[in-house]
Each structure stands twice: as structure tokens, then as C-alpha cells.
């Protein structure tokens, strides 16, 4: 099975940088995803890591350490519209179709 | 269509009623997933199709839940004899290749069982 942990809530200031951590304990691993979900809306894809290291995409970056079972999502130059839930998800190594999601981190960006 | 669509968007059912939730994936997408999302929690995997084959249904909570994708495109999630604990948002997602990377989610169906 999979166990994914991420903080429940975080608060940050507009223009700042915030790091959202995710730790996982899994029986298999075939990639880690980050999704953004605004209240009442569907999750939208942010990033995918399968190898160790940092993936940068505009204001968002994601890091993975497979040996530590650890990932983080880094958001730079925060904007008010970044207030949302951020979901960490691990794809099962044995079944490439199945992803297990964490409960999400609700980020509130304040002016 | 441009994205994954789901219908209905909202469904209220009396306890004991049967419901059917529809998902239209992105045209040509091979893989289709159903998730259940309770308030304040992340999506929980229910089942996964590759074309018309249901490859994994390990997440279906009971035998009251049934999913099909007979022609490898549209999928239906059916819940029989609904219970209050079935109240949740049911999300459908699709990817272009087996497993795929990015999952494209539909807007979800919010089911309320009274």
C-alpha cells in the first residue's frame, strides 16, 4: 500500500516563496505528481517527477528524493490566485495506472 | 471535446436509490480513472480502465459499486442502493497512453445521498 503525508494547511504572503513538503511510504514507485485544486474544481496537473532532482516550470518547481521518500513543491512569487489545495500523488510501481493521493495542503496567500 | 466531461454535475439521491454517473474522456485517450473525493480529503482511487478492459477495481468500496466502459470511450459508474456514506464528489480522469503522466480530470459529479 501507499502512505502519503503532507501538511494540512499553510499560509504565505503575496510575492513570497513557499515550500510544500510531501513524504511517502510505498510498496512501489513509478513517479510522483503534484496537482493544484481550487475549491469546488477539478485537480489540474502541475508537475511530474520520476527521477531524483529538481524540475522547474515557471514559478513552480518540484523536487524528488526517492531514497528519502520525499518531495516538495516550491512556489515562487506567490499570487493571490495560488490560494488552493496542493495534492501530492504517487503512482504505484506495480500498476502504472493507479495513483494514490495525499489529502492535500491548503495554501492561503495573504496580501 | 476539449476536456473530460462528466454528467450530471450534481445528483441528489434518496438512500436506497440507484445512481449512474457518466464520464466522457478526452477523445482518443486510452486510460480512464474513477476517484471518490470526500470533503477535505484527496481523491481516492476507485477503478481504472485501459480501453474497454477494467484493469484494476481494487478501490471500489463494495459490491454496490460497478463501473463499465464497453466501447473504450464513455464510462459509467453505477452505485446501487446508495447509502449516506456514498456522498462525495466522483471524479473521472483520462490519460493518453497506458498509465500516462498527466491525468486530465473532469469537473466531477457531486453526489448527495439524503
Amino acid at each position: 500500500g501507499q502512505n502519503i503525508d503532507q501538511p494540512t494547511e499553510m499560509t504565505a504572503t503575496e510575492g513570497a516563496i513557499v515550500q510544500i513538503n510531501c513524504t511517502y511510504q510505498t510498496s512501489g514507485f513509478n513517479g510522483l505528481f503534484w496537482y493544484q485544486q481550487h475549491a469546488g474544481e477539478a485537480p489540474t496537473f502541475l508537475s511530474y517527477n520520476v527521477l531524483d532532482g529538481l524540475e522547474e516550470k515557471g514559478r513552480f518547481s518540484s523536487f524528488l528524493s526517492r531514497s528519502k521518500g520525499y518531495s516538495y513543491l516550491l512556489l515562487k512569487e506567490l499570487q493571490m490566485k495560488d490560494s488552493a489545495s496542493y495534492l501530492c500523488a504517487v503512482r504505484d510501481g506495480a500498476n502504472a495506472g493507479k495513483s494514490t493521493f495525499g489529502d492535500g495542503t491548503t495554501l492561503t496567500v495573504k496580501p | 471535446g476539449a476536456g473530460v466531461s462528466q454528467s450530471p454535475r450534481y445528483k441528489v439521491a434518496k438512500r436506497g436509490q440507484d445512481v449512474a454517473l457518466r464520464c466522457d474522456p478526452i477523445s482518443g485517450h486510452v486510460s480512464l480513472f474513477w476517484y471518490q473525493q470526500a470533503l477535505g480529503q484527496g481523491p481516492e482511487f476507485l477503478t481504472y480502465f485501459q480501453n474497454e478492459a477494467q484493469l484494476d477495481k481494487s478501490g471500489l468500496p463494495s459490491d454496490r459499486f460497478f463501473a463499465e466502459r464497453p466501447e473504450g470511450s464513455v464510462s459509467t459508474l453505477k452505485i446501487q442502493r446508495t447509502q449516506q456514506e456514498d456522498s462525495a464528489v466522483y471524479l473521472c480522469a483520462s490519460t493518453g497512453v497506458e498509465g500516462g503522466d498527466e491525468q486530465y480530470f473532469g469537473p466531477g459529479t457531486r453526489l448527495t445521498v439524503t
Side-chain angles (χ1 to χ4, degrees):
Chain A
Q2 319 275 44
N3 186 42
I4 299 174
D5 289 310
Q6 48 182 134
T8 304
E9 296 179 336
M10 297 184 72
T11 302
T13 304
E14 191 175 16
I17 299 172
V18 70
Q19 177 174 313
I20 302 174
N21 295 324
C22 171
T23 57
Y24 62 90
Q25 297 163 326
T26 63
S27 56
F29 180 85
N30 193 18
L32 185 143
F33 300 83
W34 284 96
Y35 287 85
Q36 180 191 61
Q37 187 175 29
H38 285 100
E41 298 183 12
T44 55
F45 172 82
L46 292 177
S47 68
Y48 169 65
N49 295 68
V50 65
L51 299 176
D52 291 351
L54 187 68
E55 295 279 343
E56 296 185 78
K57 188 187 296 185
R59 294 189 300 115
F60 292 9
S61 302
S62 58
F63 172 84
L64 174 67
S65 169
R66 289 172 296 170
S67 62
K68 296 181 179 178
Y70 169 68
S71 173
Y72 68 72
L73 180 70
L74 193 71
L75 293 79
K76 303 175 185 176
E77 301 168 16
L78 281 173
Q79 303 175 7
M80 299 298 290
K81 66 178 182 179
D82 297 330
S83 293
S85 179
Y86 290 86
L87 299 162
C88 174
V90 173
R91 188 159 66 186
D92 193 304
N95 179 351
K98 180 179 178 178
S99 289
T100 300
F101 283 76
D103 283 340
T105 298
T106 300
L107 173 66
T108 302
V109 179
K110 296 186 174 180
Chain B
V4 179
S5 62
Q6 293 186 245
S7 61
R9 291 293 313 279
Y10 303 91
K11 177 69 178 177
V12 178
K14 291 189 189 302
R15 190 164 57 94
Q17 281 185 331
D18 298 349
V19 298
L21 312 181
R22 177 188 169 107
C23 172
D24 282 82
I26 293 172
S27 178
H29 271 196
V30 168
S31 298
L32 184 146
F33 307 83
W34 283 99
Y35 294 91
Q36 180 190 61
Q37 187 172 26
L39 191 64
Q41 297 183 15
E44 286 211 24
F45 172 83
L46 294 177
T47 187
Y48 157 56
F49 290 86
Q50 185 178 331
N51 296 306
E52 68 278 4
Q54 189 174 21
L55 299 186
D56 188 339
K57 55 181 181 179
S58 62
L60 296 177
S62 77
D63 58 8
R64 296 186 295 105
F65 287 70
F66 172 76
E68 60 183 4
R69 194 186 185 199
E71 298 178 357
S73 55
V74 171
S75 177
T76 303
L77 176 67
K78 297 179 180 177
I79 309 173
Q80 297 177 324
R81 306 180 302 281
T82 52
Q83 303 294 316
Q84 282 194 315
E85 61 262 30
D86 300 335
S87 295
V89 175
Y90 290 85
L91 295 167
C92 175
S94 68
T95 64
V97 295
E98 178 186 347
D101 291 341
E102 176 179 355
Q103 291 191 12
Y104 295 84
F105 282 85
T109 295
R110 181 176 295 278
L111 173 65
T112 303
V113 182
T114 61

